[in-house]
């Protein structure tokens, strides 16, 4: 029995980089907002936003973020509430906390100038090897391999790597190949090109191999295994959890929000007060919130999916009595026009027509 040669390892790395760059010149993405100008600050912010999030979603958030925080000094000096408000809706909020912390570190430790080596960049909060490589290559033209989700998929298929994603048998050879394929010239374009190829042609499902510039060099395509590489992760059924939130309104139609702890789900954001699903609402409002309620109305529940579980959010709208006073520093009244950043499902709840109905 003979085994087909592996074109991904037999072809010279220069041939792979050359074919990819030729394709990129004609078909790559050259007008992304973080490319104009392509500064370390803008590349870094974009790379962090793009973790777990698609480009189409990120662009609007990125533009708004840059308008409010145009440089690392502005971001470092901003309040946590301001940063989280401009991140609200993107999810994975630890990214925003790390972004803020890293900005402060760049200002305090590097006088506002981003370090240029992968090793130094990796000392900053929230920056791993691939993100550091992208910043070094994209902003400074420093030779550095990257291995985001798109690049992993491209290289895994080139080498027909069937190991389970997330294991050392998968990650170690991917990094070795990423180092081999990354050229010493046009490294900025190459890193963008491999990300673009994975995002547009070498996609997770239904890859467009017929149009791929690396098809004749791809071992997975040669063997017909491209649709099962990378090996799909076995996804366990996500458990469902339930919670209840209170939509407390006062006489001025302000809503009561609670600052969540800095870590954990929706860490650092403002949200609606969370209570037990079967809580006695009137008694709880008087005991915990220090206010009496006049009306109680059940709202339609909202489903929200997290990475590891599904959350069913029950919501109860209550009207605070006259002269309501809140003593807990984590609780604060907000007018609709001055509402801070809240998690996406909470924003959906507060903005729904049902919620706006008068009690």
């Amino acid at each position: 029995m003979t085994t087909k040669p592996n074109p991904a390892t037999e072809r010279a790395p220069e041939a792979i980089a050359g074919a990819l760059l030729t394709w990129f010149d004609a078909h790559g993405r050259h007008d992304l907002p973080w490319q104009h100008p392509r500064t370390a600050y803008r590349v870094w912010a974009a790379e962090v936003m793009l973790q777990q999030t698609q480009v189409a979603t990120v662009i609007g958030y990125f533009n708004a973020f840059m308008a409010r925080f145009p440089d690392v000094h502005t971001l470092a000096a901003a309040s946590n509430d301001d940063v989280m408000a401009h991140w609200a809706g993107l999810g994975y909020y630890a990214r925003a906390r790390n972004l803020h912390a890293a900005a402060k570190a760049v200002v305090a430790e590097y006088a506002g100038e981003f370090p240029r080596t992968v090793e130094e960049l990796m000392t900053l909060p929230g920056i791993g090897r691939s993100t550091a490589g992208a910043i070094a290559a994209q902003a400074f033209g420093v030779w550095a391999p990257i291995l985001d989700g798109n690049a992993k998929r491209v290289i895994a298929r080139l080498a027909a790597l069937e190991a389970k994603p997330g294991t050392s048998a998968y990650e170690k050879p991917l990094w070795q190949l990423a180092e081999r394929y990354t050229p010493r010239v046009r490294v900025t374009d190459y890193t963008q090109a491999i990300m673009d190829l994975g995002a547009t042609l070498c996609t997770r499902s239904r890859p467009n191999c017929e149009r791929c510039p690396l098809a004749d060099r791809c071992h997975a395509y040669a063997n017909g295994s491209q649709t099962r590489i990378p090996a799909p992760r076995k996804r366990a059924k996500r458990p469902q959890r339930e919670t209840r939130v209170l939509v407390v309104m006062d006489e001025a139609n302000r809503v009561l929000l609670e600052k969540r702890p800095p870590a954990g789900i929706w860490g650092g954001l403002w949200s609606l007060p969370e209570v037990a699903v079967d809580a006695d609402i009137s008694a709880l409002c008087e005991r915990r919130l220090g206010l009496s309620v006049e009306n109680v109305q059940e709202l339609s529940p909202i489903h929200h999916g997290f990475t590891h579980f599904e959350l069913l959010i029950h919501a109860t709208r209550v009207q605070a009595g006259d002269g309501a006073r809140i003593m807990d520093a984590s609780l604060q009244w907000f007018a609709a026009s001055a509402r801070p950043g809240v998690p996406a499902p909470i924003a959906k709840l507060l903005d729904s027509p049902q919620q706006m109905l008068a009690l």
Side-chain angles (χ1 to χ4, degrees), residues 46-68:
E47 285 296 321
V48 174
M49 288 183 177
L50 287 165
Q51 295 167 6
Q52 309 290 335
T53 311
Q54 295 183 341
V55 167
T57 300
V58 164
I59 288 175
Y61 282 94
F62 176 84
N63 288 335
F65 200 88
M66 287 297 115
R68 173 60 188 88

Side-chain angles (χ1 to χ4, degrees), residues 169-237:
Y170 183 74
E171 300 291 332
K172 185 176 180 179
L174 281 181
W175 275 112
Q176 291 172 340
L177 288 169
E179 291 177 352
R180 185 179 180 210
Y181 295 151
T182 302
R184 296 287 172 174
V185 296
R186 294 191 66 187
V187 66
T188 298
D189 288 341
Y190 173 84
T191 54
Q192 186 64 55
I194 197 167
M195 291 188 286
D196 287 359
L197 186 71
T200 61
L201 296 184
C202 194
T203 51
R204 183 176 298 278
S205 61
R206 292 185 293 182
N208 194 341
C209 299
E210 290 72 22
R211 294 178 56 198
C212 179
L214 304 181
D216 64 343
R217 299 167 172 82
C218 180
H219 195 42
Y221 181 54
N223 289 342
S225 60
Q226 67 271 28
T227 58
R228 57 183 176 83
I229 294 176
R233 294 175 184 264
K234 187 175 181 180
R235 296 185 179 274
K237 185 177 179 180

Side-chain angles (χ1 to χ4, degrees), residues 14 16-17 31 72 86 97 107 112 146 162 166 178 188 202 220 237 256 267 270 297-298 316 320 329 341:
E14 294 80 4
I16 291 175
D31 58 353
V72 70
H86 284 78
R97 296 192 294 271
V107 170
I146 66 158
E162 300 198 32
T188 298
C202 194
K237 185 177 179 180
L256 185 67
W270 289 87
Q297 179 188 34
E298 192 72 9
T316 303

